[in-house]
Amino acid sequence: MHICKLRLSAAWTLRRAELSQRRLLSSARKQSPLLNIAPRVREALSNGEPVVALESTIISHGMPYPQNVETAREVEQIVAASGSIPATIALIDGRIHVGLSDGDLLRLGNGRETVVKASRRDMAAVLSQRLLGATTVSGTMLAAHMAGISVFATGGIGGVHRGAEDTMDVSADLTELGRTPVAVVCAGAKSILDLPKTLEYLETQGVPVVAFGDSNEFPAFFSQHSGLQAPWKLQRAEQVAQLLKTNAELGLQNGVVVAVPIPEEHAKASVDIEQAIEAALRESERLGVKGKEATPFLLKRVVERTGGASLLANIALVKNNARIASQIAASLASMGGSQGFSTTASYSPETRTDQPLLVIGCAAIDITSRVDPNQSAESAIPEVDLLRQTKLAATSHPGTVFTSVGGVAQNIARAAHLLGANTVLVASLGQDAHGTAVAADLNRMGMDTRFLQYPGSGARTAIYNALHGPNGDLVAAVADMHINGLLSPQQIEEAFSSLRPRAVCVDANVSTPAIVTTLMQARESGACVVFEPTSVPKCTNVLSALLVIKHSHAVADVSSLVHMITPNSLELQRMSEAALELALVEGVPTAATVSEIAKFHYSLDASVIRNLLTLFPLFPTVVVKLGEQGAAVISPSPRNATRPIIRHIQPLKPSLVENSSGAGDSLVGAILAQLHTRSELVSPDGSLSLAPQELDTIVSRAQRVAIMAIESMHTVSDRLNPDALNKD
């Protein structure tokens, strides 16, 4: 297995120059502005790595919740484990999303929103009305081809319905296969269809149908046997890949059906399932269920009649198809044909800096509990006095509990990554189920995880357990963060050495030696440093690091080491006090100075102004998160770098409050994404080259991202994309 992967990797490397030339030659073919390609999928397509498209109708209409979402996650993991990048496709907020977040999967599958089943016919209507759409085989093929993806895995294709000679009910999947060059790896056509006519129709459309495996027999979804022969039989993924490559070299515009029989152990129930199908067909005829509603109705009834056996079989065949599709895509990529099969669409990657954004600190599991806002006033938690009132604190309250991947650095990195920055996370994880979940989620979204560190047995993945009141505000939290102190300076050095980042963010969860290493490595590589203070107890860690560096005489002026800090008002106060105590700054501004500035910024508290001025000699740019009051900013005057300019960025109001815990991290991630994607804002020595107006615009845009987090149950909104920073 490892040798095979190495060979494929070497082959991809050898083909990248050729792929780059192809992209240059086809640059005139502009990618549709309606496409929203996830960063990891975008990167894979650009590099000629194998990608497998996955449909979303199977999530919204093919299985019940929660099995549908669980299966979607597992199928993506299988594709990744078999050597390819998964790209589930759906229509969300007016764009075709190629590669979905976990939140997107939940939206499609949890039944809380109306999801439109979208084939080619429906896509323009769904997108123009900004509806939530799940792509069928037809819709997924079209979207995959637009993105430059050549291999698509699904359960089964549609076909000619029984009685089509009277109803003319023929699935759009078949005509799509005749005009869109995407290979569809499936378990044949669903046995509720007229299979002989389906094969005849595919022949008329000029679609090669390949039986994959040892038998020529065309599989019938739940059954390995249909009694019908496929025109072709191929036994290995490499053979299928060669067929696809040749099809492209001929200039043909048709798709290919790769029919994979259901695994033997799950085919045993096929007789019972077939009987249930016949009964469900009779029921659908009696009730007059037709068109796009027919297949979901029949599958639901079959699940009910078989006591769930058909659902288990369905899940098994989808997973098997995903594995085979991933192998085919990997083989095709090794031949230089990852995008070669799609002959009329090309992928045009966005311009990005080669130097990544490095984020160092905490990755954790967030457990977010919120008391039901619809409780009666008598039973609702009095949030201020919760911990003082034993009776209320010792009982349970109705509400919701949401588990997600979190941690300050991870949240910041996630936001920046979703906003288009090439982001790398350096963090410590335990060798436990939580650590596995964090790493898997980061891999799924396409973030570079090479520099995650696993300290060893006994180290637990960090957990942040938060309780929110009915209005969404934080009441109390428990943080198990010991592992963050185990992140080694050596791991940070390796990341800097390998990546040479242009900008780096470090949170206060890591140890003083880790922060010292970060600052010194950043100085050596000319990287901009942003420090996220995290909490009042931890915010002074950066001052301890600066003191260590100062006493070591490694740097003459430690004020040049940290270019921006992003505290809240309490952290700002504590950092100001500690900087004075440690003699890292010389004194406080006079009351008259503070009073004079306050005249122009009457909405800012005088203590905020005083603390900003106190820390300015040490930290030239400070963005203070003021919650409902917006943000306060201090930065140098363009004409005189020793003269500070203070501004107040007015707040934005959320339409609703779901979860306030990730707003600050999202804001920092958005600031970093903008610094990263606009390299001219960072000078060669890492210092910021920002006019006050530019910084204010960056912070204002970042506030919009923070609002999206507040309006989401996720710590970082799963709806983030590069366009989020451009919306008014």
Side-chain angles (χ1 to χ4, degrees):
M1 184 66 177
H2 293 298
I3 293 174
C4 179
K5 285 185 177 180
L6 286 172
R7 287 175 177 170
L8 289 176
S9 178
W12 296 334
T13 301
L14 290 171
R15 299 297 297 180
R16 280 178 182 171
E18 178 184 342
L19 287 165
S20 297
Q21 182 65 26
R22 288 184 187 178
R23 285 192 294 275
L24 287 171
L25 292 173
S26 61
S27 60
R29 295 192 295 261
K30 189 176 180 181
Q31 179 190 333
S32 169
L34 294 176
L35 276 178
N36 181 50
I37 302 177
R40 182 64 185 98
V41 178
R42 181 191 304 130
E43 180 183 18
L45 291 168
S46 179
N47 291 338
E49 297 176 64
V51 179
V52 173
L54 301 167
E55 65 157 292
S56 48
T57 295
I58 197 170
I59 305 170
S60 62
H61 293 78
M63 297 179 187
Y65 181 76
Q67 290 95 334
N68 54 354
V69 176
E70 293 169 354
T71 300
R73 291 168 177 157
E74 291 169 359
V75 166
E76 288 192 344
Q77 292 170 3
I78 288 169
V79 170
S82 301
S84 299
I85 304 302
T88 306
I89 294 173
L91 312 182
I92 302 174
D93 298 331
R95 300 189 74 188
I96 303 169
H97 285 244
V98 181
L100 303 185
S101 70
D102 195 62
D104 293 332
L105 300 180
L106 284 168
R107 285 185 71 191
L108 290 163
N110 62 18
R112 296 179 183 175
E113 298 181 60
T114 300
V115 184
V116 180
K117 188 177 177 184
S119 66
R120 173 189 279 259
R121 178 196 69 179
D122 311 296
M123 290 179 74
V126 172
L127 291 169
S128 63
Q129 297 179 56
R130 300 181 67 84
L131 303 176
L132 182 60
T135 52
T136 63
V137 169
S138 167
T140 306
M141 287 183 69
L142 177 60
H145 179 51
M146 290 171 64
I149 301 172
S150 303
V151 180
F152 161 35
T154 185
I157 59 171
V160 179
H161 283 254
R162 301 186 190 190
E165 59 272 20
D166 298 319
T167 64
M168 295 299 291
D169 193 352
V170 178
S171 171
D173 297 352
L174 302 187
T175 50
E176 200 66 49
L177 279 159
R179 61 187 171 190
T180 303
V182 172
V184 181
V185 182
C186 59
K190 300 177 179 70
S191 52
I192 57 178
L193 303 168
D194 188 326
L195 296 185
K197 288 188 176 68
T198 296
L199 287 175
E200 287 289 345
Y201 198 101
L202 287 169
E203 180 182 356
T204 301
Q205 292 291 314
V207 178
V209 178
V210 177
F212 186 85
D214 297 328
S215 172
N216 275 89
E217 193 167 4
F218 183 72
F221 201 66
F222 290 120
S223 174
Q224 294 182 336
H225 308 291
S226 66
L228 303 169
Q229 298 297 302
W232 299 100
K233 179 187 79 171
L234 296 174
Q235 295 176 298
R236 301 193 315 276
E238 295 85 352
Q239 293 174 310
V240 178
Q242 186 61 57
L243 183 152
L244 302 182
K245 185 172 184 291
T246 304
N247 199 80
E249 290 170 346
L250 288 169
L252 301 178
Q253 296 300 301
N254 56 273
V256 174
V257 174
V258 181
V260 182
I262 185 173
E264 181 68 38
E265 62 271 23
H266 294 281
K268 297 174 183 177
S270 61
V271 174
D272 293 337
I273 294 174
E274 289 298 329
Q275 293 174 351
I277 290 171
E278 293 298 330
L281 280 167
R282 291 192 294 271
E283 183 181 2
S284 70
E285 291 172 2
R286 178 171 55 82
L287 296 174
V289 180
K290 298 178 181 179
K292 64 162 68 176
E293 305 303 324
T295 298
F297 172 85
L298 292 169
L299 290 175
K300 182 174 183 291
R301 286 291 188 266
V302 171
V303 170
E304 293 169 352
R305 290 178 180 274
T306 60
S310 66
L311 177 60
L312 294 176
N314 194 355
I315 292 171
L317 66 86
V318 169
K319 291 180 178 179
N320 189 52
N321 295 344
R323 180 178 59 83
I324 300 299
S326 184
Q327 294 171 359
I328 292 169
S331 294
L332 185 60
S334 72
M335 299 173 184
S338 180
Q339 278 69 256
F341 185 42
S342 296
T343 57
T344 63
S346 64
Y347 171 69
S348 178
E350 296 177 6
T351 302
R352 303 171 65 164
T353 176
D354 291 330
Q355 292 177 287
L357 166 65
L358 194 62
V359 183
I360 301 169
C362 174
I365 290 291
D366 281 349
I367 303 173
T368 305
S369 306
R370 182 180 178 184
V371 177
D372 187 352
N374 297 317
Q375 285 192 96
S376 65
E378 292 78 13
S379 61
I381 293 180
E383 296 172 24
V384 175
D385 296 327
L386 170 66
L387 299 180
R388 302 174 190 169
Q389 299 193 24
T390 306
K391 184 177 179 181
L392 284 170
T395 189
S396 62
H397 298 269
T400 57
V401 179
F402 190 83
T403 303
S404 61
V405 175
V408 173
Q410 190 282 148
N411 291 338
I412 292 171
R414 178 178 293 261
H417 180 80
L418 292 174
L419 291 168
N422 178 16
T423 310
V424 180
L425 178 65
V426 181
S428 287
L429 297 176
Q431 295 178 352
D432 49 27
H434 288 141
T436 301
V438 172
D441 188 65
L442 295 173
N443 279 318
R444 180 195 57 75
M445 67 182 291
M447 195 181 298
D448 190 331
T449 58
R450 286 176 292 165
F451 297 98
L452 294 179
Q453 177 181 308
Y454 298 86
S457 60
R460 299 182 303 274
T461 298
I463 294 179
Y464 177 76
N465 193 341
L467 172 63
H468 294 259
N471 67 357
D473 286 341
L474 181 67
V475 175
V478 175
D480 180 359
M481 299 286 163
H482 173 72
I483 194 171
N484 296 316
L486 303 180
L487 182 63
S488 70
Q490 291 76 19
Q491 188 79 353
I492 296 170
E493 287 177 358
E494 290 177 11
F496 270 94
S497 176
S498 298
L499 303 172
R500 307 296 295 178
R502 193 80 182 104
V504 57
C505 176
V506 58
D507 76 32
N509 283 295
V510 298
S511 66
T512 297
I515 297 176
V516 169
T517 300
T518 299
L519 300 184
M520 296 305 294
Q521 289 288 321
R523 180 175 182 270
E524 182 179 336
S525 61
C528 173
V529 176
V530 176
F531 174 71
E532 165 49 44
T534 305
S535 68
V536 173
K538 299 174 183 176
C539 65
T540 57
N541 286 354
V542 70
L543 301 176
S544 300
L546 291 174
L547 198 63
V548 169
I549 296 171
K550 181 179 180 180
H551 289 167
S552 70
H553 303 290
V555 177
D557 181 11
V558 294
S559 67
S560 63
L561 295 179
V562 179
H563 305 101
M564 179 188 291
I565 61 172
T566 56
N568 61 28
S569 57
L570 295 177
E571 294 158 356
L572 179 73
Q573 173 73 30
R574 179 65 194 118
M575 293 182 72
S576 175
E577 294 169 348
L580 289 166
E581 294 166 4
L582 298 171
L584 288 169
V585 294
E586 294 182 354
V588 298
T590 65
T593 300
V594 173
S595 178
E596 184 66 23
I597 294 175
K599 290 179 182 179
F600 299 96
H601 302 288
Y602 58 88
S603 55
L604 283 180
D605 189 89
S607 65
V608 171
I609 296 172
R610 182 178 61 254
N611 293 327
L612 283 171
L613 293 173
T614 299
L615 289 174
F616 177 73
L618 192 61
F619 304 117
T621 301
V622 182
V623 178
V624 187
K625 296 167 286 190
L626 298 176
E628 294 180 353
Q629 295 179 332
V633 178
I634 189 171
S635 62
S637 166
R639 297 181 179 179
N640 182 355
T642 63
R643 178 175 173 264
I645 299 178
I646 294 177
R647 288 92 69 201
H648 182 203
I649 309 298
Q650 294 299 317
L652 301 177
K653 300 295 183 183
S655 58
L656 75 162
V657 177
E658 290 284 1
N659 174 14
S660 61
S661 63
D665 296 343
S666 296
L667 182 137
V668 176
I671 291 172
L672 287 164
Q674 293 174 85
L675 294 178
H676 176 263
T677 54
R678 294 182 59 193
S679 58
E680 75 276 8
L681 301 180
V682 179
S683 300
D685 63 353
S687 61
L688 293 173
S689 180
L690 271 170
Q693 296 87 347
E694 287 179 307
L695 179 57
D696 294 354
T697 299
I698 286 173
V699 175
S700 295
R701 287 174 176 166
Q703 276 191 324
R704 295 202 295 264
V705 174
I707 292 296
M708 293 175 70
I710 292 172
E711 294 173 345
S712 170
M713 276 302 294
H714 295 268
T715 311
V716 175
S717 173
D718 58 336
R719 299 190 184 189
L720 290 187
N721 60 64
D723 288 340
L725 291 169
N726 300 320
K727 295 177 182 177
D728 294 327

